[in-house]
Amino acid sequence: MTPRSPEPVRAPRPPRVHPAWWVAAVAFLALLGAAGFRAAPGALMVPLHREFGWSMSVISLAVSINLVLYGLVAPFAAALMDRFGMRQVVSGALFLVALGAGGSVVMTVSWQLLVFWGLLIGTGTGAMALVFAATIANRWFVERRGLVMGVLTAGSATGQLIILPPVAALAENVGWRPASLVIAAAALVAVPLVWLVIRDYPEDRGVLPYGAAPEGYRTQPRAVGGAVRRALEGLAFAVRRRAFWALAIAFAICGATTNGLVGIHFIPSAHDHGMPTTTAAGLLATVGIFDIAGTIASGWLTDKFDPRRLLAAYYAFRGVGLLLLPWLLSDQVHPSMILFVVVYGLDWVATVPPTAALCREIFGERGTIVFGWVFTSHQIGAAAAAFGAGVIRDVFGAYTYAWWGGATICLVAAGLSIMAKGAHHGPRTAQAAAQTQPSL
């Protein structure tokens, strides 16, 4: 009897949608959930001032603690994700956001505001922030890294877009406590999705990173050693290079002129000019709409052009907008204000994809952790501006000098961006970008 020849083994059919896109989609939703409460303080400052009589300086201090921790936790969170896994870190972070938002409804004295808004929310959102987006983009993608970073960064804008208007409406018509509970629920909804879909590396799903060539791809080394030690080693490595200081100071100015000034004080400043809080919140949410388009476009541009020149252009446009803002604010929405909202929205966090790309290109395998420290400077700048603008409002009775100060430092950021050596010059193909951007 003639033995039957063995049937050929068929290679498994590749999935129609690469798992990297599902991971990126859930990361987007997680970032959206965390972004909600970070944007909410601007809508809740006036109700808290009315109910408790706390000064804008005190409320701004709580927001400043939030913003500092949001940045300071980032590099350690990047190391923790390397060491213990993204699912564990992100799920725990979302629980902290929910605890801070839900717990704030029992506040009676100002120090509790520092705990709930500052400590818990700051730590929770900082444990994800943009280092989470950078980790997803670097591990799961070889092609389209800049685009994915832009889309994930836009998750923060989308959280503001979706959550800020109902938060402002609830705070105005029902009370700030129900508004805080909405934020807590939004963060909790993201937890099961994170746990079910997010994985640390493509190999955990049995695939290569999106766009990786099978013949040239090498499995990424897994992190060893303590998370704190790795984070501090990344900082020690970075501070010896001038490019780090150029990026860090410029990104601090980015934080000061977005999260710190406009994100926190636009609504109170518009209220000073007679504009209803809900109208001002709607304008700020509209910034989020255009931020999505601007950030995604910036990611696409970062894959193709010199990131330094992109950053210089972004900061210059932002400075012009802040310079004109005191003349644009009034009790009604005029076409000039709509133009400001559109331009500022397109520019809001368009700086993130080129900054992350420069960190990856200049600092190699330490790029994500170094980006975490650069992001820390972003939040220190945001915190300083949030507190400083509150003091300016209390002393001068208006925000004018805060807006003009922001315009001035934007010009400094534009100059510093050109000094970040190590970027590519001219058009950049996806293949060239993949060769020069190591996977982390």
Side-chain angles (χ1 to χ4, degrees), residues 182-223:
V182 168
I183 302 302
L188 287 175
V189 165
V191 173
L193 281 173
V194 168
W195 196 260
L196 289 172
V197 177
I198 296 292
R199 294 295 184 273
D200 291 314
Y201 294 94
E203 303 92 86
D204 298 336
R205 290 290 192 192
V207 297
L208 297 179
Y210 179 81
E215 62 276 6
Y217 178 72
R218 292 179 298 173
T219 302
Q220 302 175 32
R222 303 300 170 97

Side-chain angles (χ1 to χ4, degrees), residues 42-43 157 160-169 266-267 270 275-290 333 337-338 341-342:
Q160 173 180 298
L161 166 65
I162 293 174
I163 294 173
L164 190 56
V167 166
F266 178 82
I267 293 176
M275 184 180 292
T277 299
T278 51
T279 302
L283 287 173
L284 200 55
T286 305
V287 169
I289 296 176
F290 289 96
V333 179
M337 175 54 71
I338 297 296
V341 165
V342 171

Side-chain angles (χ1 to χ4, degrees), residues 386-425:
F387 180 68
V391 172
I392 288 173
R393 169 62 179 79
D394 286 341
V395 172
F396 296 100
Y399 284 100
T400 302
Y401 293 119
W403 304 131
W404 288 348
T408 301
I409 61 177
C410 278
L411 297 179
V412 176
L416 288 170
S417 298
I418 298 297
M419 295 171 59
K421 303 296 183 182
H424 290 278
H425 300 278

Side-chain angles (χ1 to χ4, degrees), residues 29-39 94 97 121 124-125 128-129 183 186-187:
L29 292 175
L31 290 165
L32 181 151
F37 199 84
R38 195 188 62 210
L94 287 166
V97 171
I121 300 298
T125 53
M128 289 183 293
I183 302 302

Side-chain angles (χ1 to χ4, degrees), residues 65-114:
I65 294 172
N66 176 304
L67 293 172
V68 167
L69 286 174
Y70 180 61
L72 188 59
V73 170
F76 298 98
L80 285 170
M81 289 178 191
D82 286 346
R83 186 71 177 86
F84 298 106
M86 288 189 286
R87 286 192 303 170
Q88 291 82 350
V89 173
V90 173
S91 296
L94 287 166
F95 274 117
L96 280 180
V97 171
L99 180 62
S104 67
V105 302
V106 300
M107 291 188 302
T108 56
V109 292
S110 59
W111 69 262
Q112 293 169 344
L113 182 71
L114 306 184

Side-chain angles (χ1 to χ4, degrees), residues 17-398:
V17 179
H18 193 285
W21 294 111
W22 292 114
V23 171
V26 172
F28 179 92
L29 292 175
L31 290 165
L32 181 151
F37 199 84
R38 195 188 62 210
L44 301 183
M45 289 175 78
V46 174
L48 284 171
H49 175 69
R50 285 192 196 132
E51 179 170 337
F52 296 107
W54 298 334
S55 70
M56 286 297 181
S57 297
V58 169
I59 299 174
S60 297
L61 177 61
V63 176
S64 296
I65 294 172
N66 176 304
L67 293 172
V68 167
L69 286 174
Y70 180 61
L72 188 59
V73 170
F76 298 98
L80 285 170
M81 289 178 191
D82 286 346
R83 186 71 177 86
F84 298 106
M86 288 189 286
R87 286 192 303 170
Q88 291 82 350
V89 173
V90 173
S91 296
L94 287 166
F95 274 117
L96 280 180
V97 171
L99 180 62
S104 67
V105 302
V106 300
M107 291 188 302
T108 56
V109 292
S110 59
W111 69 262
Q112 293 169 344
L113 182 71
L114 306 184
V115 172
F116 289 116
W117 277 22
L119 181 62
L120 293 178
I121 300 298
T123 301
T125 53
M128 289 183 293
L130 295 179
V131 295
F132 180 40
T135 303
I136 293 290
N138 291 341
R139 290 184 184 179
W140 281 86
F141 292 85
V142 171
E143 295 181 353
R144 302 290 187 267
R145 277 181 179 162
L147 178 63
V148 169
M149 188 66 188
V151 171
L152 293 181
T153 302
S156 297
T158 307
Q160 173 180 298
L161 166 65
I162 293 174
I163 294 173
L164 190 56
V167 166
L170 280 171
E172 184 88 0
N173 301 315
V174 182
W176 64 269
R177 289 179 177 84
S180 293
L181 293 176
V182 168
I183 302 302
L188 287 175
V189 165
V191 173
L193 281 173
V194 168
W195 196 260
L196 289 172
V197 177
I198 296 292
R199 294 295 184 273
D200 291 314
Y201 294 94
E203 303 92 86
D204 298 336
R205 290 290 192 192
V207 297
L208 297 179
Y210 179 81
E215 62 276 6
Y217 178 72
R218 292 179 298 173
T219 302
Q220 302 175 32
R222 303 300 170 97
V224 295
V228 172
R229 180 175 62 83
R230 294 187 68 246
L232 294 177
E233 284 178 349
L235 177 62
F237 173 80
V239 296
R240 296 193 295 268
R241 287 154 177 80
R242 187 175 67 174
F244 170 78
W245 291 107
L247 289 172
I249 296 172
F251 219 40
I253 293 170
C254 176
T257 52
T258 52
N259 295 30
L261 279 177
V262 176
I264 299 302
H265 291 285
F266 178 82
I267 293 176
S269 181
H271 184 268
D272 287 346
H273 287 77
M275 184 180 292
T277 299
T278 51
T279 302
L283 287 173
L284 200 55
T286 305
V287 169
I289 296 176
F290 289 96
D291 177 26
I292 296 169
T295 307
I296 294 173
S298 178
W300 180 82
L301 290 170
T302 301
D303 286 332
K304 296 182 177 298
F305 299 104
D306 183 350
R308 301 183 310 158
R309 298 186 183 277
L310 293 176
L311 286 172
Y314 297 157
Y315 286 125
F317 276 110
R318 186 179 301 176
V320 172
L322 288 174
L323 181 66
L324 298 177
L325 183 57
W327 290 288
L328 303 180
L329 288 167
S330 69
D331 58 347
Q332 296 180 350
V333 179
H334 298 289
S336 56
M337 175 54 71
I338 297 296
L339 180 61
F340 169 84
V341 165
V342 171
V343 173
Y344 217 84
L346 291 172
D347 193 76
W348 183 261
V349 285
T351 54
V352 173
T355 301
L358 286 171
C359 287
R360 187 168 58 240
E361 293 170 0
I362 296 170
F363 300 103
E365 64 181 11
R366 298 180 175 90
T368 302
I369 290 177
V370 172
F371 177 67
W373 286 111
V374 171
F375 183 68
T376 299
S377 71
H378 181 280
Q379 294 311 115
I380 291 173
F387 180 68
V391 172
I392 288 173
R393 169 62 179 79
D394 286 341
V395 172
F396 296 100

